[in-house]
């Protein structure tokens, strides 16, 4: 037999008061999303694996647990991500719902292996999708709503990084660059390896070097990007980024924004502006999103929160106050205290010292002779 | 490729507004549990299968999806039930927490196959466990808290059925009945098959017949149970049932209670009073619980809600009202409306007829010239 306390690597029991804290943070996020008309959907934990692995799902195929379904005799996957599922709902079951369609979701996802940076294999994921609009206002809505949701959840010193992951591929396409050079160049750009970028960039070596240099605070980046000699698709992408940035800036002048138009990593299926949120001092991304094309061919954008990273960025909550009710306190007294918002803990048997018992039970207060009295050690 | 809209049998996409309704009901239940000092825990979706299948888990072993863990090279089970996990947490990670320990939980569980009555294979489960007290007041707390939580969630015409699943086995033990007869008798009792009960009951045929007749409204049942000629363990169990009933009745005189001390089905591991909740007109049990012995040897009791049954017992929620904000409405107006509790839907581009657009988007109202105006078709 396995030691009962032993859990597989990367899986954990979340204990009081952390489990409550996480639930309440997710609740706050969902409430903020709902206030902008994002309606909640709840896809199943498992479904046919080929449906799970479409579109952006293909990238995490190797991270998907699979089980045989004795009912259908087919392979099912345990979802490693919910965004593919929500996009599936939008483009099948809700294909006739009016556009733009706003959906929100929250749930658990599982991964086969953790990484060194994130050893966890189960995550809470929550987010929003906005399907059927190509407008800059749609990007702006998502960027500002994500910012508001994270701020209201308690994150301090938030900043958003805007990216344009399709830009480098578009420039490479214009240059008719061969596949191997493209890949090497993209990796060099992601590593911020200026020397390799220059070596690989060919006739556009200067352009790529300038692109790399443009990464940083938004005003600097926008000024530099405007100077780049771009054509065709790349030029359109730059216009989109600048327009979205201007709109966001006009609605939220105080927002801390950086721009890195050279980065690709993890955004392979994004077609327009991508957004990544960070908090000063917190490890890793708190969430990310961006524009993509849904399975239905519709323009779409969305944002997903990595709740584990978010929780690490938040202060630990205070232990809630609890009022101990000595054994045989009339039940209507307890009901009254709870109606007033108190958490009560019933004594279940007579004890010699009720105050000591309240303390032992971890209560901050005791109900004595009709009064709430603080307990002190 | 699989049709993207196709889900495996027994699994579903929960859509607006049902997904929000379910989340809000679970939230209400958890809030009620928290008000009595039940602290939330969150066990993982998967863990080593032999840990999942201990105690009451053994009964649903065949209902557990299993996956190979490439990290530990061992079999994991996807939880078919959360109560075993919570009991595991209580008796391992929280073994040194003060007793009685009050824990709550909410999450998704998966079953390999549905039944004809309940074709679903994924359920939302939520509940409470109270570990480390053998007091009648503990049973009473759970019974009344479950009742309150279900009532506050909106269930009408609730009733609770109290059972004593260990009673028949205790009587059989006293009679030194052989194993086959015991099993036949228990099945006959569960089927309310009076003729078979009489035939199988041997010297105690009359006793079992009376026990069967006792099932019904609490006052009738208690009166009949008091007349039974019981000894030893069986007598103790009856005393416990009567004491718990008296305590519940004194604290909640209006509660609708039935008692069936002859039933066993599904309560194999319960050692004392068991509780099952029904609502008039709603299919199936809304939840159940009862007294058991935890893996640590501690006296424990708990209650679990079958959220799918609960949702079927509730009225459908109203569609929430939404206010359409025509394109380019200043964002601070939206912020103000949301601060006042309104749900807003931003127009993302100019349209010729904003009222028609608001209607098309499913909004009940539109924000025009600083006012919220009802939209009518």
């Amino acid at each position: 037999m396995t030691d009962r306390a032993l859990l597989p690597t990367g899986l954990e029991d979340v204990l009081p008061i952390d489990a409550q804290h996480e639930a309440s943070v997710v609740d706050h996020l969902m409430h903020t999303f709902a206030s902008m008309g994002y309606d909640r959907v709840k896809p199943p934990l498992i479904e046919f694996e080929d449906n799970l692995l479409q579109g952006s799902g293909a990238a995490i195929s190797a991270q998907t647990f699979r089980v045989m379904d004795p009912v259908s005799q087919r392979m099912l996957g345990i979802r490693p991500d919910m965004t593919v599922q929500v996009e599936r709902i939008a483009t099948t079951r809700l294909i006739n719902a009016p556009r733009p369609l706003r959906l929100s979701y929250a749930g658990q996802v599982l991964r086969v292996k953790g990484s060194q940076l994130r050893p966890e294999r189960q995550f809470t994921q929550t987010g929003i999708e906005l399907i059927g609009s190509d407008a800059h206002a749609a990007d702006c809505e998502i960027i500002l709503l994500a910012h508001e949701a994270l701020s209201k959840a308690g994150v301090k010193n938030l900043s958003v990084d805007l990216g344009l992951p399709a830009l480098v591929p578009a420039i490479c396409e214009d240059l008719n660059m061969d596949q191997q050079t493209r890949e090497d160049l993209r990796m060099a750009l992601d590593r911020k390896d200026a020397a390799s970028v220059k070596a690989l960039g060919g006739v556009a070596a200067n352009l790529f070097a300038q692109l790399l240099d443009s990464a940083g605070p938004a005003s600097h980046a926008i000024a530099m990007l405007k100077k780049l000699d771009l054509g065709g698709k790349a030029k359109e992408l730059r216009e989109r980024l600048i327009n979205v940035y201007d709109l966001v800036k006009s609605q939220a002048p105080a927002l801390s924004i950086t721009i890195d138009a050279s980065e690709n990593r993890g955004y392979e299926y994004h077609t327009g502006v991508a957004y990544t949120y960070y908090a000063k001092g917190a490890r890793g991304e708190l969430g990310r999103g961006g524009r993509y094309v849904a399975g239905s061919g519709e323009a779409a954008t969305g944002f997903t929160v990595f709740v584990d990273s978010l929780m690490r960025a938040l202060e630990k909550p205070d232990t809630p106050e609890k009022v101990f009710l000595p054994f045989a306190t009339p039940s209507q007294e307890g009901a009254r205290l709870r109606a007033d918002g108190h958490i009560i803990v019933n004594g279940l048997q007579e004890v010699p010292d009720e105050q000591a018992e309240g303390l032992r039970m971890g209560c901050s207060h005791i109900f004595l002779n009709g009064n709430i009295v603080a307990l002190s050690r």
Side-chain angles (χ1 to χ4, degrees), chain A:
Chain A
M1 290 299 288
T2 310
D3 172 359
R4 288 200 81 193
L6 192 68
L7 287 174
T9 312
L11 296 165
E12 60 163 350
D13 292 320
V14 188
L15 300 181
I17 51 192
D18 293 332
Q20 178 52 45
H21 190 210
E22 184 192 296
S24 134
V25 164
V26 169
D27 208 49
H28 265 83
L29 295 170
M30 294 301 283
H31 189 261
T32 304
F33 299 153
S35 74
M36 292 276 276
Y38 287 77
D39 289 328
R40 188 173 190 138
V41 291
K42 183 195 167 200
L45 277 176
I46 56 175
E47 55 175 285
F48 293 123
E49 64 167 329
D50 44 1
N51 275 341
L52 268 183
L53 304 179
Q54 288 192 13
S56 64
I60 38 176
S61 162
Q63 282 286 36
T64 306
F65 275 113
R66 288 162 174 86
V67 289
M68 170 59 84
D69 180 10
V71 176
S72 65
Q73 300 285 334
R74 292 178 51 192
M75 289 309 282
L76 308 180
I78 309 176
R79 64 180 179 213
D81 177 85
M82 291 182 76
T83 59
V84 181
Q85 294 189 303
V86 175
E87 184 260 335
R88 176 181 57 68
I89 291 175
T91 57
T92 57
R93 244 167 280 290
L94 297 178
I95 190 67
N96 294 318
R99 264 45 180 173
L101 179 64
R102 291 171 169 90
L103 298 178
S104 68
Y105 58 92
Q108 303 301 307
V109 302
L110 278 178
R111 305 268 169 105
V112 168
K113 284 188 180 179
S115 63
Q116 208 153 15
L117 214 64
R118 293 175 86 196
E120 297 85 358
R121 296 202 280 168
Q122 177 174 339
F123 301 94
T124 302
Q125 196 184 12
T126 169
I128 46 180
E129 299 294 325
L130 174 49
I131 291 126
S133 171
D134 194 36
H136 303 142
D139 293 271
C140 179
E141 174 171 308
I142 295 280
I143 292 168
L144 294 183
L145 184 55
H147 185 270
E148 177 186 329
L150 292 171
S151 300
K152 282 192 175 164
V155 181
K156 303 236 163 50
N157 299 314
L158 253 185
S159 70
V160 58
D161 187 69
L162 302 183
L164 207 50
L167 180 65
V168 170
I171 299 172
C172 294
E173 188 64 31
D174 274 352
L175 294 169
N176 254 323
M177 198 178 267
D178 69 90
Q179 201 55 41
Q180 186 58 52
T181 313
R182 282 185 201 202
E183 277 170 32
D184 293 345
L185 177 65
R186 290 176 60 178
M187 277 184 60
L189 284 164
D190 281 347
R191 284 198 317 268
K192 314 283 178 217
D193 174 354
S196 300
V197 167
K198 199 130 200 173
L200 291 160
V203 294
N206 268 335
L207 179 66
F208 287 117
Q210 286 171 303
L211 187 62
L212 199 56
D213 282 346
S214 74
S219 53
H220 156 84
I222 292 286
M224 285 202 64
L225 288 172
K226 282 181 176 168
K227 289 184 203 152
L228 297 188
D229 180 22
L230 299 176
K233 179 80 192 307
K235 193 174 172 187
E236 276 172 42
L237 283 166
R238 176 179 59 185
E239 286 312 298
R240 176 169 269 281
L241 174 66
I242 293 171
N243 286 329
V244 168
Y245 169 75
D246 286 345
L247 196 56
V248 168
K249 200 70 196 165
S250 73
Q251 292 194 21
L255 194 59
S256 165
I257 307 177
T258 56
I259 292 180
D260 184 349
S262 69
E263 183 137 339
N264 287 273
R265 199 168 22 210
Y267 287 105
E268 285 74 11
Y269 72 107
H270 283 288
T271 56
V273 182
Y275 348 111
T276 314
Y277 281 84
Y278 299 94
K280 205 181 264 177
R283 169 160 65 91
E285 306 169 354
L286 304 185
R288 57 157 61 189
R291 185 161 282 289
Y292 63 98
V293 177
S296 54
E298 294 173 282
T301 178
F303 174 76
T304 198
V305 182
F306 306 132
V307 178
D308 59 315
S309 303
L310 170 56
M311 297 313 295
R312 280 193 296 263
L314 298 178
E315 286 173 23
K316 287 272 170 191
D318 294 329
T319 306
E321 300 201 330
K322 294 180 179 175
V323 183
F324 182 71
L325 267 63
F327 179 64
T329 300
S331 55
Q332 58 270 29
E333 297 279 19
R336 190 172 59 76
L337 290 172
R338 290 158 65 217
D340 288 347
H342 294 287
I343 296 175
I344 67 160
V345 172
N346 284 323
L348 297 176
Q349 56 185 39
E350 258 177 294
V351 291
D353 182 342
E354 295 290 0
Q355 306 218 16
E357 179 69 359
L359 275 174
R360 188 187 69 80
M361 287 296 293
C363 292
S364 54
H365 295 77
I366 186 168
F367 189 72
L368 279 183
N369 311 316
N371 298 308
I372 298 174
V373 181
L375 284 168
S376 53
R377 284 177 197 280

